[in-house]
Amino acid sequence: MLMRKLTVAATAAAMLCVLALGTARAAAQTAAATHLAVVNTARIFNEMQETRDLKTRMENQRKTLEQQERDRRDQLKQLRDQRDQLKSDSPQYQEKNQQLLKAAIEFEAWGKLTQADVMREQKQQMKKLFEKIQGAVAELAEQRKIDLVLTDLHQDIPEDLDQVEIGALRNLINSRTLMYTTAQCDMTSDVIALLDNKYKQAGGK
């Protein structure tokens, strides 16, 4: 009777071991079947040709707007100088002062409207670029049978820690979303190449 119980117990233990081994193998196979990749979104934004061309256009636009601002300020100064040459109690002074006030109001309104337009355009361009990046990542992932693409957001920790405040250093460490990855997992350069090729084929648009 005792031998039978020991035999049953041994058989049950063996079956549990087989089941546990089978479960572990299934989990390992599932993990092995999941293909992962990593991209550095910030690097893609900065290095893709469309972003570089956009920065050039924005810089030219900034210079144009700065020149327009200088011209408007010069006009205000001329009106002010013309008004100040007149007697303050003369009708001509009041007329020139009204012109100055009107020009000053128009200048302020122009500045606010221009700033709002520039900010709106920048946000639209940023959204457009991100959607292109997202599409390129998805295209490469589908081609390579990749199941999950992670975003590497980390910033390098400076060598000279004396120039970094403790709070800033803590934020840099906490911003690390990836602790380790191999070069084979990084699709960043390939995404940039794909985006640049599409941008070139579209005639830089």
Side-chain angles (χ1 to χ4, degrees):
M1 186 67 178
L2 178 60
M3 291 298 296
R4 181 179 297 176
K5 289 183 178 180
L6 291 175
T7 302
V8 171
T11 302
M15 291 178 65
L16 288 174
C17 289
V18 171
L19 289 173
L21 181 60
T23 302
R25 287 178 176 174
Q29 290 174 355
T30 300
T34 303
H35 298 87
L36 305 179
V38 176
V39 293
N40 188 318
T41 312
R43 183 184 155 204
I44 296 173
F45 261 114
N46 292 329
E47 296 185 13
M48 58 189 291
Q49 188 61 47
E50 186 170 358
T51 299
R52 295 178 178 179
D53 291 348
L54 179 60
K55 286 181 178 179
T56 300
R57 292 196 299 270
M58 290 174 61
E59 179 63 18
N60 293 334
Q61 182 187 37
R62 183 188 65 80
K63 292 178 180 180
T64 299
L65 292 175
E66 286 182 349
Q67 183 59 51
Q68 292 178 5
E69 182 181 2
R70 285 192 294 268
D71 293 341
R72 288 174 179 269
R73 288 187 181 279
D74 289 342
Q75 292 175 3
L76 287 175
K77 185 178 182 303
Q78 291 176 7
L79 286 173
R80 187 178 296 106
D81 291 342
Q82 292 172 5
R83 181 203 63 180
D84 292 344
Q85 293 176 1
L86 302 171
K87 292 183 179 181
S88 59
D89 57 350
S90 67
Q92 292 82 1
Y93 181 93
Q94 296 300 326
E95 180 182 354
K96 190 62 68 174
N97 191 55
Q98 287 296 320
Q99 293 178 9
L100 177 60
L101 289 174
K102 181 180 178 181
I105 293 173
E106 290 176 350
F107 173 69
E108 183 178 2
W110 172 84
K112 291 180 179 180
L113 180 60
T114 300
Q115 184 178 18
D117 287 341
V118 170
M119 291 300 296
R120 185 184 304 107
E121 181 181 0
Q122 289 181 357
K123 288 186 287 187
Q124 290 174 345
Q125 290 291 345
M126 183 175 295
K127 180 176 180 291
K128 176 183 175 182
L129 290 177
F130 176 72
E131 289 174 347
K132 288 186 176 183
I133 292 173
Q134 197 172 30
V137 170
E139 182 176 337
L140 286 178
E142 291 176 0
Q143 290 177 1
R144 301 177 183 184
K145 308 301 181 183
I146 295 173
D147 304 297
L148 180 64
V149 180
L150 303 175
T151 303
D152 184 5
L153 300 174
H154 85 275
Q155 299 181 34
D156 293 332
I157 298 177
E159 293 292 336
D160 187 4
L161 294 180
D162 292 337
Q163 305 299 321
V164 183
E165 295 183 358
I166 184 66
L169 179 58
R170 184 182 300 110
N171 290 335
L172 285 174
I173 294 174
N174 291 336
S175 67
R176 290 292 180 99
T177 55
L178 294 174
M179 294 300 293
Y180 174 78
T181 183
T182 62
Q184 289 79 2
C185 290
D186 193 344
M187 294 200 312
T188 302
S189 296
D190 294 335
V191 172
I192 295 173
L194 177 59
L195 287 167
D196 287 350
N197 184 51
K198 289 179 176 291
Y199 180 64
K200 182 178 180 180
Q201 290 181 350
K205 298 179 181 179

